[in-house]
Amino acid sequence: AAKWVRMVTAQTPTNIAVIKYWGKRDETLILPINDSISVTLDPHHLCTTTTVAVSPSFDQDRMWLNGKEISLSGGRYQNCLREIRACASDVEDEEKGIKIAKKDWGSLHILIASYNNFPTAAGLASSAAGFACLVFALAKLMNLSEDHGKLSAIARQGSGSACRSLYGGFVKWNMGKNEDGTDSRAIQIVDEKHWDDLVIFIAVVSSRQKETSSTIGMHNSVETSMLLKYRAQEVVPKRILQMEEAIKNRDFPTLAHLTCADSNQFHAVCLDTYPPIFYMNDTSHRIISIVEKWNRTEGTPQVAYTFDAGPNAVLIARNRNAATLLLQRLLFYFPPGDGVDLNSFLIGDKSILE
Ligand code: PMV
């Protein structure tokens, strides 16, 4: 048989939830118990770069993450690969002598090389960018004709938050109603140009691996937290509507209020879980106090904070001016070398291809 290799590289940014996803109603299909909303960062800093390759000479599917081979045998990878292969189309590249028929994809093997330019599993949503990028790159490799919505539903089965990284700007993950998960996918609320004076900072408080994975944490919260039940049924549906309005109207005080309140409730759920989960540390709490105090003195919020499954702070400044003042304050409280690393980002566009 002719020896050829077909290769595609994609780059996908991570996303930060302003209304959190926490808790699954179906752990295999990864179906959440509430809608969530996130903002996608610009793809140049905090992103995953993934190259996928196919060739008749490859004899098994293999993957390397940050240069180290990892197993693809887990259900999440298998589900993504199976779903993507099922939607694959014919590929023809005369110049390279490549001709792949739709039916061949079942027997062809794939190599995957993925790099994160930020710490893996430190609560910086590395899995979000990772699975979104994998699905996006494979979709291009296999010439999928499906829209982003279908890709979002496939990425969701790798990691829930990944379904939101297929779009730029502000994104909403609809929990969906169907048992098979076909309607549990993300949609774009507004693109990255709609509210481009926001500046996002990530204060890396610790790049250590988190102690409780989001998978185990969510499982335990669903099993034991009454607060989570109340949150999913009574609190989040209202916040989703208010947050969508705030985003469309570029209403920063409402965005800030809801973002901080939702982060705090998520971490309260963690504490309400048995065994209790502590993602934030003393530095995280100090950052919250600094921001709360500043916002109170100003009379109107200048900065919002949110924390995921780790101690690192994500801070959203209302404009460039607030961003400068925030940076000054943070550098005053946490001088360089004090263990807190600051990085800033703008709101980003969707996945990009090379
Ligand atoms: O997609 P996962 O399993 O990494 O879960 C992400 C959970 C949070 O980051 C804490 C919240 C969110 O909506 O991204």
Side-chain angles (χ1 to χ4, degrees):
K3 293 289 179 211
W4 48 260
V5 180
R6 176 175 159 82
M7 225 190 297
V8 169
T9 297
Q11 211 165 55
T12 303
T14 194
N15 71 76
I16 304 292
V18 288
I19 301 291
K20 305 290 185 200
Y21 145 56
W22 194 254
K24 303 180 184 86
R25 61 181 200 274
D26 182 317
E27 294 189 345
T28 313
L29 286 171
I30 311 195
L31 302 178
I33 58 170
N34 57 251
D35 295 343
S36 53
I37 294 179
S38 61
V39 56
T40 299
L41 304 185
D42 60 299
H44 306 292
H45 309 288
L46 218 60
C47 69
T48 299
T49 306
T50 300
T51 299
V52 290
V54 62
S55 166
S57 57
F58 298 161
D59 58 0
Q60 55 172 317
D61 294 339
R62 295 175 75 179
M63 175 166 179
W64 290 262
L65 178 61
N66 297 326
K68 222 178 108 202
E69 182 156 16
I70 61 161
S71 164
L72 283 174
S73 64
R76 292 171 174 222
Y77 282 110
Q78 289 302 316
N79 290 347
C80 284
L81 289 170
R82 191 192 57 245
E83 293 257 320
I84 283 272
R85 278 191 166 105
C87 308
S89 299
D90 298 342
V91 171
E92 224 182 308
D93 184 337
E94 267 180 44
E95 212 175 291
K96 295 193 181 117
I98 301 175
K99 201 172 172 176
I100 309 168
K102 196 175 160 65
K103 62 170 175 40
D104 297 338
W105 284 110
S107 55
L108 283 168
H109 292 286
I110 291 152
L111 300 188
I112 304 159
S114 197
Y115 287 90
N116 289 329
N117 65 350
F118 52 93
T120 303
L124 282 180
S126 57
S127 63
F131 276 102
C133 198
L134 176 64
V135 168
F136 189 64
L138 288 173
K140 291 291 162 194
L141 184 79
M142 301 187 186
N143 202 15
L144 258 67
S145 51
E146 268 75 10
D147 57 7
H148 266 55
K150 173 72 184 174
L151 299 188
S152 169
I154 298 176
R156 188 202 74 232
Q157 297 176 55
S159 177
S161 53
C163 78
R164 299 183 309 231
S165 265
L166 268 311
Y167 299 91
F170 280 91
V171 180
K172 176 181 168 194
W173 174 9
N174 285 316
M175 61 182 283
K177 292 194 192 78
N178 300 350
E179 248 171 66
D180 64 1
T182 42
D183 59 348
S184 186
R185 47 172 76 181
I187 54 161
Q188 188 177 57
I189 300 173
V190 295
D191 72 14
E192 70 283 358
K193 290 189 277 299
H194 172 77
W195 201 349
D196 61 0
D197 49 352
L198 297 178
V199 183
I200 300 166
F201 285 88
I202 300 194
V204 180
V205 168
S206 161
S207 55
R208 270 185 38 212
Q209 293 248 135
K210 59 194 169 202
E211 269 158 42
T212 309
S213 72
S214 55
T215 305
I216 292 172
M218 281 185 208
H219 175 87
N220 291 346
S221 293
V222 168
E223 295 278 296
T224 63
S225 172
M226 292 297 286
L227 178 56
L228 179 59
K229 207 168 270 161
Y230 173 73
R231 163 180 165 72
Q233 287 170 5
E234 304 294 331
V235 182
V236 177
K238 294 187 189 92
R239 282 188 182 160
I240 291 280
L241 295 174
Q242 293 166 340
M243 185 61 96
E244 276 189 279
E245 273 303 296
I247 290 166
K248 284 179 185 151
N249 299 330
R250 289 191 288 257
D251 169 0
F252 189 79
T254 305
L255 172 109
H257 170 71
L258 291 171
T259 299
C260 299
D262 205 68
S263 172
N264 291 336
Q265 188 173 69
F266 157 50
H267 291 278
V269 165
C270 290
L271 200 57
D272 189 47
T273 297
Y274 193 82
I277 311 163
F278 311 101
Y279 285 129
M280 290 194 281
N281 64 19
D282 287 352
T283 309
S284 319
H285 291 141
R286 262 185 85 198
I287 294 174
I288 294 181
S289 299
I290 292 164
V291 171
E292 287 286 354
K293 203 169 146 203
W294 181 22
N295 284 343
R296 270 201 309 279
T297 2
E298 292 291 329
T300 177
Q302 304 297 307
V303 175
Y305 56 82
T306 185
F307 296 80
D308 283 332
N312 303 314
V314 178
L315 302 160
I316 308 175
R318 73 178 307 162
N319 53 32
R320 303 292 193 270
N321 186 37
T324 311
L325 294 172
L326 171 67
L327 194 57
Q328 282 170 3
R329 262 159 230 256
L330 288 172
L331 288 171
F332 172 78
Y333 288 106
F334 306 102
D338 211 34
V340 176
D341 285 330
L342 297 170
N343 305 271
S344 70
F345 305 91
L346 300 173
I347 296 181
D349 198 353
K350 59 175 188 276
S351 312
I352 46 180
L353 276 181
E354 280 171 9

